[in-house]
Amino acid sequence: MAIIHRMDEHLTNMIAAGEVVERPLGVVKECVENAIDAQATRIEVWLTQGGIEQIEIIDNGIGMDRQDAVMAFERHATSKIQEVSDLWSISTLGFRGEALPSIASVAQVEMHTCNGPEATRVRIEYGELKSCEPFGCNPGTTLIVRGLFQKTPARLKHLKSAQYEAALISDLMQKFAMSHPEIAFRLVQEGRETLKTTGLGQLQEVLYQVYGKEAAKACFEISGEDLDARVKGLGVLPQLSRANRNYITLFINQRIIRSYKLQKAILDAYHQYMPEDRFPIVILNIELDEQLVDVNVHPSKWEIRLSKEQQLVLLLREATERALQEKMQVPQIQRMSPIQRLQQPELFHSVSSWQVQEAQSSVSAAKENTEPERVEKKPDEALLPTMDKPTRQEPLKREKGWMKLEVLAQLHGRYILASSESGLVI
């Protein structure tokens, strides 16, 4: 008796939905990627209840005619793969042909699309085609997804609060905006606009919209290349850091990726400039030969496989280190004597606003005094046994908000240690 049978199309679509569309985030990711592939220059996402109740994605891309609008909801239907050789050189973001049929199998979907001569509306409810008819709309495509997972309670119960789901989508849209600064993105949640970019192609402007004015002012350019890859993007000075590595945003050929090893290369470059428990803000796009990247690892397309990963890790670390060294100009003066440090205050200028010149003048005055006054050493003065201590006839005064300081040493190439009237200053 035969016990093996072929599953029907609706059942296979629902299974595929579990891989492609785990939550509202997956719907937005797949549909925005399709809009980018459709050459859209403006993309809007409207959310109701974090996308659980309704998601609306609007783009001004090339649109579709009636035949393509229906075929787009068929299993494994795509315009981006024609033959086997195309799998080894994928240049588009969406290519599997699983997104729309998977979404339509677990939600009510309505699509309005116009390619110029023809405009169509397609309605599908939980995998069943309800209608396909002419419908007046603007050029481009609008996809409305309602009641996600309402007929699959096992999936619905794993969703978290509307605020949490909306936060995930907001983070995703920010990454899309950073990966494609030439596209104008807009995110509206519960009728309130939370993200809007101009699409002028300026990454620093997008960084300002996402991370704020201080981050935009403290950013610097990172660039580098070798025979196989080119790296370009922005980093933010270590003075602005974050509590986790989620702010290290990496793209391969403008595709959002997750890669622990590539993130680790960035962290290694920043290591000497910030504490162990803090992480930098970095946005980098890596242009790589498409044949060196395997994006067909998982249906969600977050993971990738690289042919020359170690080479790319070295390139990322060296490019970031070089850019940081140019911006930070950390003085290497750990081996200088205390007097030498005071005689070269310009070395401290790039890392401190303290008036080191005042300490230098104090040393000069002490050296000109041929018979220095004998002063009994106190415990704290034993830190500088070879240094002539200047006489102080007047109490220290504050100038421009800072007390006069006497430089003692530099710690780990990062911190200047100085003494003041009240004690040790770092």
Side-chain angles (χ1 to χ4, degrees):
M1 183 177 93
I3 59 175
I4 298 177
H5 63 279
R6 185 185 298 273
M7 293 185 295
D8 62 59
E9 184 177 355
H10 178 60
L11 182 57
T12 57
N13 285 341
M14 292 188 68
I15 294 173
E19 299 175 334
V20 179
V21 185
E22 298 177 349
R23 55 190 347 122
L25 172 75
V27 175
V28 174
K29 181 177 184 295
E30 295 291 339
C31 295
V32 171
E33 287 179 344
N34 284 341
I36 294 172
D37 288 339
Q39 304 170 24
T41 59
R42 188 184 70 253
I43 301 174
E44 297 184 11
V45 176
W46 294 65
L47 301 178
T48 304
Q49 288 297 304
I52 300 173
E53 182 177 329
Q54 179 172 308
I55 303 170
E56 184 173 358
I57 299 107
I58 307 168
D59 71 66
N60 65 342
I62 58 177
M64 294 176 279
D65 60 18
R66 177 187 176 93
Q67 181 180 356
D68 285 344
V70 176
M71 182 61 69
F73 289 96
E74 295 293 329
R75 182 85 165 144
H76 301 310
T78 181
S79 62
K80 302 160 189 176
I81 298 291
Q82 303 295 333
E83 52 190 25
V84 175
S85 60
D86 293 340
L87 289 174
W88 312 117
S89 183
I90 295 174
S91 59
T92 56
L93 299 180
F95 57 90
R96 284 172 169 266
E98 295 178 340
L100 288 180
S102 298
I103 295 169
S105 67
V106 292
Q108 299 175 10
V109 176
E110 183 175 329
M111 183 171 72
H112 311 155
T113 184
C114 174
N115 65 348
E118 191 174 357
T120 308
R121 178 174 68 176
V122 178
R123 291 176 53 247
I124 298 179
E125 294 185 5
Y126 302 101
E128 182 180 351
L129 179 63
K130 293 295 184 180
S131 66
C132 177
E133 57 192 0
F135 182 81
C137 62
N138 294 325
T141 301
T142 298
L143 195 73
I144 305 171
V145 180
R146 301 185 181 94
L148 185 65
F149 298 143
Q150 292 298 322
K151 289 193 175 182
T152 50
R155 297 254 178 84
L156 186 62
K157 71 179 182 180
H158 288 294
L159 297 181
K160 297 188 178 180
S161 67
Q163 292 79 8
Y164 179 83
E165 300 295 339
L168 293 179
I169 295 174
S170 177
D171 179 70
L172 174 69
M173 291 298 295
Q174 291 172 0
K175 287 180 168 58
F176 272 127
M178 291 184 285
S179 66
H180 292 82
E182 74 282 0
I183 299 177
F185 288 91
R186 186 180 182 217
L187 176 63
V188 180
Q189 303 181 37
E190 311 299 335
R192 182 172 60 90
E193 183 179 272
T194 59
L195 174 68
K196 185 177 182 180
T197 63
T198 61
L200 296 178
Q202 300 296 324
L203 181 57
Q204 187 174 8
E205 180 186 1
V206 178
L207 187 144
Y208 175 85
Q209 295 292 334
V210 174
Y211 296 126
K213 179 180 178 181
E214 292 302 319
K217 290 173 61 178
C219 72
F220 59 94
E221 185 176 342
I222 300 175
S223 62
E225 62 180 304
D226 59 18
L227 295 177
D228 297 302
R230 180 183 293 111
V231 175
K232 187 174 182 180
L234 295 177
V236 175
L237 292 174
Q239 64 199 44
L240 292 178
S241 60
R242 294 296 186 265
N244 57 62
R245 67 177 67 216
N246 295 338
Y247 297 85
I248 302 176
T249 309
L250 300 177
F251 313 104
I252 295 260
N253 298 331
Q254 296 186 296
R255 176 190 298 277
I256 304 171
I257 64 164
R258 294 171 180 168
S259 173
Y260 173 80
K261 290 185 178 180
L262 298 185
Q263 283 188 333
K264 180 67 165 52
I266 304 298
L267 293 176
D268 289 343
Y270 269 87
H271 175 72
Q272 61 176 319
Y273 301 104
M274 59 175 46
E276 296 289 341
D277 58 345
R278 303 298 294 179
F279 299 87
I281 301 173
V282 177
I283 307 165
L284 288 181
N285 180 56
I286 304 163
E287 297 179 13
L288 200 61
D289 188 337
E290 294 158 358
Q291 297 185 8
L292 299 178
V293 187
D294 183 5
V295 298
N296 197 27
V297 176
H298 190 273
S300 65
K301 302 189 290 292
W302 287 106
E303 310 294 334
I304 62 168
R305 187 178 292 115
L306 297 170
S307 297
K308 298 183 178 181
E309 186 174 55
Q310 189 58 38
Q311 178 180 328
L312 184 56
V313 166
L314 292 175
L315 175 62
L316 280 180
R317 187 171 63 198
E318 290 174 359
T320 308
E321 283 179 348
R322 183 169 58 251
L324 276 169
Q325 288 171 1
E326 292 175 358
K327 292 297 294 185
M328 298 297 293
Q329 299 177 357
V330 175
Q332 302 296 326
I333 57 176
Q334 293 89 332
R335 293 188 177 90
M336 288 185 179
S337 69
I339 292 180
Q340 288 175 319
R341 286 195 287 269
L342 295 178
Q343 289 174 339
Q344 302 186 44
E346 66 276 2
L347 293 177
F348 294 91
H349 182 69
S350 62
V351 292
S352 172
S353 62
W354 296 340
Q355 299 183 14
V356 187
Q357 290 88 346
E358 296 172 356
Q360 183 186 20
S361 62
S362 298
V363 175
S364 300
K367 295 175 72 175
E368 291 173 1
N369 188 356
T370 56
E371 294 183 6
E373 182 180 343
R374 291 192 176 184
V375 180
E376 184 179 353
K377 287 187 177 181
K378 298 180 181 179
D380 60 333
E381 294 176 336
L383 293 173
L384 299 174
T386 63
M387 177 177 169
D388 295 333
K389 302 299 290 185
T391 57
R392 299 175 183 172
Q393 299 178 355
E394 297 181 0
L396 293 175
K397 298 180 180 180
R398 291 181 180 271
E399 293 185 6
K400 298 181 181 180
W402 289 96
M403 179 179 288
K404 289 186 177 181
L405 302 173
E406 183 178 328
V407 178
L408 303 177
Q410 187 180 24
L411 179 64
H412 300 317
R414 305 180 189 179
Y415 307 104
I416 294 179
L417 308 181
S419 65
S420 70
E421 185 180 29
S422 59
L424 180 67
V425 177
I426 300 177

